[in-house]
Amino acid sequence: MIAVTGRAPSLPPAYRLVALERVGSTNDEARRLAAAGAADGTLVWAREQTGGRGRLGRAWESPPGNLYCSLVLRPEIPLARAPELGFVAALGVGGMVGAFAPPLNEIRYKWPNDVLLNDGKVSGILLESGPAPDGSLDFLVLGVGVNVQSHPRETSFPATSLRAEGAETVEVEAVLESFARHLLTWVDRWLDEGFAPVRKAWLARAWRLNETLDVTLGDGGVSGRFSGLADDGALILAAPDGGIRVISAGDVRAARAGQGKD
Ligand code: BTN
């Protein structure tokens, strides 16, 4: 773990920034700090990760030039509501991407928590919870990776970066500042008004809503029409047999071939 050099980002006072040049995973570092009592709003940011982690046990390529940060949150909510925060974070990323992407670029939210720019994945979110001994929620760590200057080539779903979509001169500090501001707005709204406005804003830009999706689950897969989000953020699929499937975790793809970027 090495302390960061270069310009210090300017963040709203709600955040306590821990800025690092390089770390294994900002999520691991944030979890370590949270378990040791770090305050709500502690934000671990690193210019580079040597062991970045993605969802479903995947690695997250983390060279310098992209954004890697993890926020410690201690909301007073039941553990069952924790997944809502992934959608809150996606809206924060979407607001930031909208501020940097050139006009007419298309931002979409892909279930559960990816942010797409022109059909390529520009950001991924890894939400992890720390339960207290009595089973209640102690803390959440919200890990966010944004492809700013580069993106990986060999991915199961096509990736892109802000730079590849035309935002060429964006520096990572400015991306962090903008994301932190947009996230704070959405976290405050979520805490004040609940999940309903978050769900509504997310659905307004949902990727492939009302289209047929293939969802890979731990024990197989299922296809159906993406007909909405449940009150807790689960994916609602209308299966061809007329049944409804409500899915809490999985990997989503468009059912037809040739979707997204090459
Ligand atoms: C995914 O789409 O699979 C989630 C990717 C999450 C990557 C971020 S980068 C910052 C934080 N630290 C990690 O090790 N992972 C998350």
Side-chain angles (χ1 to χ4, degrees):
M1 193 166 77
I2 306 172
V4 79
T5 53
R7 175 166 96 72
S10 166
L11 302 181
Y15 295 100
R16 298 175 190 204
L17 183 65
V18 178
L20 304 169
E21 193 71 28
R22 189 180 314 124
V23 73
S25 155
T26 56
N27 261 45
D28 292 346
E29 183 58 13
R31 287 174 67 112
R32 192 184 69 74
L33 293 172
D40 178 270
T42 302
L43 180 62
V44 179
W45 164 56
R47 289 193 188 278
E48 182 181 358
Q49 295 184 121
T50 52
R53 297 188 287 110
R55 284 177 65 241
L56 308 173
R58 296 182 183 131
W60 185 262
E61 279 184 32
S62 306
N66 295 337
L67 178 68
Y68 315 108
C69 64
S70 300
L71 177 64
V72 176
L73 286 158
R74 297 183 181 277
E76 291 184 4
I77 55 164
L79 192 54
R81 285 192 59 200
E84 296 176 11
L85 190 62
F87 297 87
V88 174
L91 295 176
V93 172
M96 173 278 289
V97 171
F100 289 111
L104 304 182
N105 280 236
E106 188 177 58
I107 298 164
R108 293 278 166 194
Y109 303 119
K110 177 174 176 282
W111 191 87
N113 301 144
D114 293 346
V115 180
L116 308 186
L117 182 55
N118 301 330
D119 262 358
K121 178 166 169 172
V122 72
S123 172
I125 291 166
L126 181 63
L127 180 64
E128 298 181 308
S129 58
D134 66 357
S136 64
L137 181 66
D138 183 14
F139 62 82
L140 289 168
V141 167
L142 179 63
V144 176
V146 180
N147 299 329
V148 180
Q149 296 294 341
S150 67
H151 61 84
R153 306 283 154 180
E154 306 294 325
T155 48
S156 56
F157 189 88
T160 192
S161 66
L162 291 177
R163 180 179 188 167
E165 302 304 326
E168 287 177 10
T169 56
V170 176
E171 56 164 11
V172 72
E173 291 88 346
V175 172
L176 177 60
E177 289 167 345
S178 175
F179 166 62
R181 281 196 305 273
H182 283 97
L183 179 66
L184 193 57
T185 302
W186 275 107
V187 167
D188 285 349
R189 185 144 184 223
W190 173 60
L191 292 173
D192 287 349
E193 300 176 39
F195 188 53
V198 174
R199 181 174 170 276
K200 187 174 174 195
W202 191 95
L203 278 170
R205 284 191 171 172
W207 181 76
R208 306 288 181 204
L209 186 63
N210 294 317
E211 296 184 27
T212 303
L213 299 180
D214 292 335
V215 185
T216 310
L217 311 170
D219 56 352
V222 61
S223 296
R225 190 175 57 81
F226 174 19
S227 58
L229 279 188
D231 286 348
D232 62 355
L235 180 80
I236 303 176
L237 277 191
D241 63 5
I244 296 289
R245 296 286 304 265
V246 181
I247 296 162
S248 301
D251 216 17
V252 159
R253 323 200 113 259
R256 285 172 294 136
Q259 304 296 310
K261 289 171 171 288
D262 293 323

